[in-house]
Amino acid sequence: MEKTNVPEMFGSLVFDDRVMRARLSDDVYASLKKTIDENTRLDEHVADAVAEEMKSWAIENGATHFTHWFQPLTGVTAEKHDSFISPSPDGGVLMEFSGKELIKGEPDASSFPSGGLRATFEARGYTAWDPTSYAFIKDHTLCIPTAFCSYSGEALDKKTPLLRSMQAINKQAKRILKLFGTDCKYVRTSVGPEQEYFLVDKEVFNKRPDLKYTGRTLFGAMPPKGQEMDDHYFGVIKPRVTEYMEDLNQELWKLGILAKTEHNEVAPAQHELAPIYSTTNVATDSNQLTMEIMKKVAARHGMECLLHEKPFAGVNGSGKHNNWSIGTDTGINLLSPGKTPYENAQFLLFLCAVIQAVDDYQDLLRLSVATAGNDHRLGANEAPPAIISIFLGDELTGILNAIRNDEPYEGTEKVVMKLGVHSLPSFSRDTTDRNRTSPFAFTGNKFEFRSLGSSNSIACCNIMLNAAVAESLRQYADILEKSENFEEDLHTLIKKVITDHQRILFDGNGYGEDWIVEATEKRGLLNLKTTADAMPRLLDKKNMDMLMAHKVFTEAELQSRCEIMLENYVKTVNIEALTMVDMVRKNYLPAIEGYLFKLAQTTSLMRQVSDKVKCNYEVSTIERLSELTDHILESVKALEDAIATLKDLPDIFKSSEFVRDTLLLTMESLRAYVDEAEMLTSQKDWPFPSYGQLLFSVN
């Protein structure tokens, strides 16, 4: 096998800083770098120079087309390809690409979700280059990461609000750092999203309509062996999967995506890929690319990559852990404790900002990960519960409690700590075990938000997290900028935040029933179990006021997003329900009837041989399967009635509530009868591959 030169391969298809520094003039490079680092407006002449070199580089690397690559509210990426060719006077063609074409595109926006921001007949939309995220080549096309907005300027994508949220936290964090004498040009959040996924054989996948139409199995009895032995977790990777992972790594590395860690996950056929974290908007682009490439590479290897949050009932679903941190351009990680009292105090203030943000806006964090698929996963003893809480670990919890109670901290000299006066103890990273049941856990120098679903765009949760932390920092800056005794007022502020937001801190078992009671009844935390419960909270006054104050969203954009996400929830479950009806009527009922006929024939023939033949198996199976077919028929009729009712409901809020309260329950009832019938019907007569065949299909 040919050896891979990773340093030479890495970023070979990316117009990154190395390429720009080598190809652009010093003046053009300096101007572009200032735009990237300081968010200044790009000069038109600079854009032309960048476009010319970008085109030349792309053509040298085999590109024939270019596209503005953007992230509409569909949850996937979008692209419209234009070739570089233009006609020349002699009948040939020229390869052209201008600064104007680089900076702005004008795709048809009529078929993308807008949530009422524009009428269907208003087709015009605009894409605007995001120079902070590098252009790259994919499938012989130069892809230019862009934002996407309507003719009237409203954001129609996920990137625009993300960039706005990054500006908001940059502005407020710099105010705080100035008070500590920390100088920097900018503050940015960084993310490393760990991606879980399933791999199944393509041939087996193609025989399951539910997987093809919805991404998850709507029916299926558990096989004799699932994940009970925990033998798949971190186990030896199968050769076919190893080949896939090696191929995937190379494709990602070419695109400058920092794929770092790969391993088997808990469930059979489940795996994980983890990158090194990078600036949030770049990480968001990279993760969208990663999901796309995972599927493409799987197809090359005769497999299907499943990114649904819960493709199989009875085994763990797939999540995406969002490792979030905040730092300066000078290399300071603001969630790293530091070694001096002031560094510690600065760290604690930023820590408090996160604690307050998560408590004040727990509903925004919950709804940022709310989808029909993720509703099946959260709280299922495999993923964090729907209740948002923070895990800090023993040492940090002890320090915060000492500050809150004005008591000595047992881990250091027994003095009451006054921040900036007495020495706050220096503590190392990862001094406590992790809590796998916590939705939001501190892990040394970052927070891990573990509630995201596998197919989620990480933009949504990072928009809310950035904005909420920016709001905490704004409040702190407003207080401390007026302070006449900074150290005293800083101590008072941190103590107050710790005291006021104690309810969000929880280091125990998030799966326990007693935690649900304690969280909701004693602490007053929210338990938003479904998308229908969570998404309307986006329009709560406190949430709208905060997001609008930091210019992350406009009022119209918030209204539209709520409608779009609820509509997506309703449509997703409706497609699942229609798929169930289709499979039951066309396949399951005929298959069960066919097997019943065989059993009846066998029973009749056996009794003709001898009156003493009891046929207990045949008779008991016929009786139960006959009962089940009656139940299945009744349930499928009820499901059809529910689907019809859903069509007539007046608005998206009532529709989502009906899906939650009626449609999903009817689907569960139908599935239970079909799954029992599967256990009584011969495998030869069953119309679709079983769970065992799916989960153990890749060897």
PDB file of all heavy atoms in Angstrom, residues 21 25 28 44 46 68 100 170 341 365 377 688:
ATOM      1  N   ARG A  21      -0.542  33.562   1.373  1.00  0.00           N
ATOM      2  CA  ARG A  21       0.711  34.250   1.653  1.00  0.00           C
ATOM      3  C   ARG A  21       1.702  34.066   0.510  1.00  0.00           C
ATOM      4  O   ARG A  21       2.467  34.970   0.174  1.00  0.00           O
ATOM      5  CB  ARG A  21       1.296  33.726   2.964  1.00  0.00           C
ATOM      6  CG  ARG A  21       2.427  34.572   3.518  1.00  0.00           C
ATOM      7  CD  ARG A  21       2.740  34.260   4.968  1.00  0.00           C
ATOM      8  NE  ARG A  21       3.009  32.848   5.169  1.00  0.00           N
ATOM      9  CZ  ARG A  21       2.278  32.045   5.926  1.00  0.00           C
ATOM     10  NH1 ARG A  21       1.202  32.526   6.534  1.00  0.00           N
ATOM     11  NH2 ARG A  21       2.598  30.784   6.069  1.00  0.00           N
ATOM     12  N   SER A  25       0.187  39.418  -3.343  1.00  0.00           N
ATOM     13  CA  SER A  25       1.198  40.444  -3.053  1.00  0.00           C
ATOM     14  C   SER A  25       1.127  40.786  -1.570  1.00  0.00           C
ATOM     15  O   SER A  25       0.119  40.551  -0.898  1.00  0.00           O
ATOM     16  CB  SER A  25       0.944  41.693  -3.886  1.00  0.00           C
ATOM     17  OG  SER A  25      -0.238  42.351  -3.445  1.00  0.00           O
ATOM     18  N   VAL A  28      -1.862  43.096  -0.747  1.00  0.00           N
ATOM     19  CA  VAL A  28      -3.159  42.412  -0.843  1.00  0.00           C
ATOM     20  C   VAL A  28      -3.324  41.438   0.320  1.00  0.00           C
ATOM     21  O   VAL A  28      -4.384  41.378   0.956  1.00  0.00           O
ATOM     22  CB  VAL A  28      -3.292  41.681  -2.193  1.00  0.00           C
ATOM     23  CG1 VAL A  28      -4.510  40.756  -2.192  1.00  0.00           C
ATOM     24  CG2 VAL A  28      -3.392  42.684  -3.333  1.00  0.00           C
ATOM     25  N   GLU A  44     -12.487  46.603  -2.826  1.00  0.00           N
ATOM     26  CA  GLU A  44     -12.886  45.968  -4.086  1.00  0.00           C
ATOM     27  C   GLU A  44     -11.675  45.559  -4.926  1.00  0.00           C
ATOM     28  O   GLU A  44     -11.670  44.501  -5.551  1.00  0.00           O
ATOM     29  CB  GLU A  44     -13.779  46.926  -4.885  1.00  0.00           C
ATOM     30  CG  GLU A  44     -14.377  46.296  -6.124  1.00  0.00           C
ATOM     31  CD  GLU A  44     -15.347  47.233  -6.829  1.00  0.00           C
ATOM     32  OE1 GLU A  44     -16.022  48.025  -6.129  1.00  0.00           O
ATOM     33  OE2 GLU A  44     -15.400  47.176  -8.059  1.00  0.00           O
ATOM     34  N   VAL A  46      -8.755  44.736  -3.787  1.00  0.00           N
ATOM     35  CA  VAL A  46      -8.182  43.563  -3.121  1.00  0.00           C
ATOM     36  C   VAL A  46      -8.975  42.321  -3.501  1.00  0.00           C
ATOM     37  O   VAL A  46      -8.405  41.254  -3.779  1.00  0.00           O
ATOM     38  CB  VAL A  46      -8.172  43.760  -1.590  1.00  0.00           C
ATOM     39  CG1 VAL A  46      -7.809  42.458  -0.882  1.00  0.00           C
ATOM     40  CG2 VAL A  46      -7.206  44.869  -1.206  1.00  0.00           C
ATOM     41  N   HIS A  68     -20.887  29.410  -4.698  1.00  0.00           N
ATOM     42  CA  HIS A  68     -21.024  29.976  -3.368  1.00  0.00           C
ATOM     43  C   HIS A  68     -21.703  28.909  -2.509  1.00  0.00           C
ATOM     44  O   HIS A  68     -22.862  28.564  -2.728  1.00  0.00           O
ATOM     45  CB  HIS A  68     -21.843  31.268  -3.406  1.00  0.00           C
ATOM     46  CG  HIS A  68     -21.020  32.466  -3.768  1.00  0.00           C
ATOM     47  ND1 HIS A  68     -21.439  33.752  -3.568  1.00  0.00           N
ATOM     48  CD2 HIS A  68     -19.783  32.573  -4.293  1.00  0.00           C
ATOM     49  CE1 HIS A  68     -20.503  34.601  -3.956  1.00  0.00           C
ATOM     50  NE2 HIS A  68     -19.484  33.903  -4.412  1.00  0.00           N
ATOM     51  N   LYS A 100     -16.103  40.683  -7.941  1.00  0.00           N
ATOM     52  CA  LYS A 100     -17.547  40.793  -7.722  1.00  0.00           C
ATOM     53  C   LYS A 100     -18.175  39.419  -7.577  1.00  0.00           C
ATOM     54  O   LYS A 100     -19.045  39.199  -6.732  1.00  0.00           O
ATOM     55  CB  LYS A 100     -18.180  41.556  -8.891  1.00  0.00           C
ATOM     56  CG  LYS A 100     -19.677  41.786  -8.737  1.00  0.00           C
ATOM     57  CD  LYS A 100     -20.238  42.573  -9.917  1.00  0.00           C
ATOM     58  CE  LYS A 100     -21.741  42.780  -9.758  1.00  0.00           C
ATOM     59  NZ  LYS A 100     -22.312  43.517 -10.920  1.00  0.00           N
ATOM     60  N   ASN A 170     -17.278  38.674  21.043  1.00  0.00           N
ATOM     61  CA  ASN A 170     -16.002  39.380  20.893  1.00  0.00           C
ATOM     62  C   ASN A 170     -16.086  40.773  21.530  1.00  0.00           C
ATOM     63  O   ASN A 170     -15.203  41.183  22.297  1.00  0.00           O
ATOM     64  CB  ASN A 170     -15.658  39.487  19.409  1.00  0.00           C
ATOM     65  CG  ASN A 170     -14.456  40.388  19.150  1.00  0.00           C
ATOM     66  OD1 ASN A 170     -13.361  40.125  19.622  1.00  0.00           O
ATOM     67  ND2 ASN A 170     -14.679  41.475  18.415  1.00  0.00           N
ATOM     68  N   PRO A 341      -3.196  34.956  40.824  1.00  0.00           N
ATOM     69  CA  PRO A 341      -4.520  35.320  41.334  1.00  0.00           C
ATOM     70  C   PRO A 341      -5.381  36.053  40.314  1.00  0.00           C
ATOM     71  O   PRO A 341      -6.579  35.770  40.195  1.00  0.00           O
ATOM     72  CB  PRO A 341      -4.194  36.213  42.532  1.00  0.00           C
ATOM     73  CG  PRO A 341      -2.861  35.731  42.995  1.00  0.00           C
ATOM     74  CD  PRO A 341      -2.127  35.344  41.751  1.00  0.00           C
ATOM     75  N   LEU A 365     -30.711  26.858  24.803  1.00  0.00           N
ATOM     76  CA  LEU A 365     -29.785  25.760  24.540  1.00  0.00           C
ATOM     77  C   LEU A 365     -30.547  24.483  24.207  1.00  0.00           C
ATOM     78  O   LEU A 365     -30.163  23.737  23.299  1.00  0.00           O
ATOM     79  CB  LEU A 365     -28.876  25.537  25.747  1.00  0.00           C
ATOM     80  CG  LEU A 365     -27.811  26.608  25.992  1.00  0.00           C
ATOM     81  CD1 LEU A 365     -26.996  26.281  27.234  1.00  0.00           C
ATOM     82  CD2 LEU A 365     -26.888  26.744  24.793  1.00  0.00           C
ATOM     83  N   ARG A 377     -33.614  10.471  21.266  1.00  0.00           N
ATOM     84  CA  ARG A 377     -32.328  10.153  21.895  1.00  0.00           C
ATOM     85  C   ARG A 377     -32.168  10.763  23.278  1.00  0.00           C
ATOM     86  O   ARG A 377     -31.693  10.096  24.208  1.00  0.00           O
ATOM     87  CB  ARG A 377     -31.204  10.642  20.972  1.00  0.00           C
ATOM     88  CG  ARG A 377     -29.817  10.577  21.547  1.00  0.00           C
ATOM     89  CD  ARG A 377     -28.782  11.120  20.563  1.00  0.00           C
ATOM     90  NE  ARG A 377     -27.545  11.454  21.250  1.00  0.00           N
ATOM     91  CZ  ARG A 377     -27.232  12.651  21.707  1.00  0.00           C
ATOM     92  NH1 ARG A 377     -28.061  13.667  21.531  1.00  0.00           N
ATOM     93  NH2 ARG A 377     -26.092  12.856  22.336  1.00  0.00           N
ATOM     94  N   PHE A 688     -38.390  -7.718   5.102  1.00  0.00           N
ATOM     95  CA  PHE A 688     -37.251  -6.806   5.178  1.00  0.00           C
ATOM     96  C   PHE A 688     -36.142  -7.377   6.052  1.00  0.00           C
ATOM     97  O   PHE A 688     -36.399  -8.190   6.941  1.00  0.00           O
ATOM     98  CB  PHE A 688     -37.681  -5.447   5.747  1.00  0.00           C
ATOM     99  CG  PHE A 688     -38.789  -4.783   4.975  1.00  0.00           C
ATOM    100  CD1 PHE A 688     -40.022  -4.561   5.564  1.00  0.00           C
ATOM    101  CD2 PHE A 688     -38.588  -4.386   3.661  1.00  0.00           C
ATOM    102  CE1 PHE A 688     -41.049  -3.946   4.851  1.00  0.00           C
ATOM    103  CE2 PHE A 688     -39.605  -3.778   2.942  1.00  0.00           C
ATOM    104  CZ  PHE A 688     -40.840  -3.560   3.531  1.00  0.00           C
TER     105      PHE A 688
END
